[in-house]
Amino acid sequence: FNQFATSEEFTAICEKYKVERGEMLPDKSMYTVCIDPGHSKVMPAGTCPMGPGSSVGKPADAIGTHGSASGLMEYELTLNIGMQLKAELEARGYNVIMTRTDGDKAYDLVYRAEVANDNADIMVRIHADGLDNTSVTGCSAIIITPSNPWNPQTYTGSKKLADSLISNYIAQTGIR
């Protein structure tokens, strides 16, 4: 979040809430984080546009993968992690909203984006990519590119946040 605090997005948020940037960050309760635990047990039908205004479609969602060692479905793992993250962020004073709190409903990608766009200052999507080869491990963050046709202004802050999340995750877990 300190990386985010130096981004263009944070500057825009400060302006939105009429908060002056200084040595101390403003009250965390002013910020809402949207957590999107990836996938669900129930799949929505149809397709969603690739981005706002796009005529190109992609599946509305996918079932996700499963743990090759644990057998745990991705939608279960991401919800578990998402609920833990929610509790931690709330304990630190942030407002948190979730795109889903169970796996029994179909939520398409447009719905998930709208929840964040309409209600949050930042969105963190949680996924657990998988392979059948248990010797392969690691973590990654996916962000938009600077040439994204819909939201290029969010690239710099997204990159800083992704870099911070990955470096801290690696430091805490030792994963690649």
Side-chain angles (χ1 to χ4, degrees):
F1 283 98
N2 289 334
Q3 294 290 331
F4 179 70
T6 62
S7 70
E8 293 173 30
E9 289 88 351
F10 183 72
T11 300
I13 291 168
C14 288
E15 290 171 5
K16 175 181 174 181
Y17 292 108
K18 299 183 180 9
V19 174
E20 290 187 35
R21 292 174 71 161
E23 292 296 315
M24 300 283 293
L25 289 176
D27 179 7
K28 293 175 186 174
S29 68
M30 295 177 62
Y31 300 102
T32 300
V33 177
C34 177
I35 299 173
D36 179 29
H39 305 293
S40 189
K41 181 169 55 174
V42 180
M43 289 297 96
T47 61
C48 293
M50 290 292 284
S54 175
S55 60
V56 177
K58 63 181 180 179
D61 199 0
I63 193 72
T65 189
H66 67 280
S68 55
S70 69
L72 193 64
M73 293 300 297
E74 183 175 2
Y75 70 85
E76 296 171 304
L77 178 65
T78 59
L79 183 58
N80 183 311
I81 292 168
M83 296 306 285
Q84 290 180 53
L85 178 58
K86 178 183 188 293
E88 180 65 26
L89 288 173
E90 288 176 339
R92 292 181 183 209
Y94 292 94
N95 297 311
V96 179
I97 57 174
M98 304 285 290
T99 59
R100 70 179 184 94
T101 55
D102 61 50
D104 298 328
K105 296 180 187 85
Y107 300 108
D108 69 27
L109 299 172
V110 170
Y111 163 80
R112 293 168 186 258
E114 287 173 345
V115 168
N117 289 344
D118 295 344
N119 302 292
D121 299 299
I122 192 165
M123 179 185 205
V124 176
R125 301 189 72 208
I126 301 170
H127 286 270
D129 299 335
L131 296 171
D132 289 332
N133 184 346
T134 58
S135 69
V136 177
T137 62
C139 61
S140 63
I142 299 172
I143 61 170
I144 65 164
T145 66
S147 60
N148 177 283
W150 303 289
N151 296 304
Q153 74 280 4
T154 65
Y155 170 76
T156 302
S158 296
K159 174 85 168 96
K160 286 182 179 181
L161 178 60
D163 289 346
S164 178
L165 288 170
I166 293 297
S167 63
N168 282 290
Y169 185 67
I170 290 168
Q172 292 296 314
T173 65
I175 200 164
R176 294 191 312 255

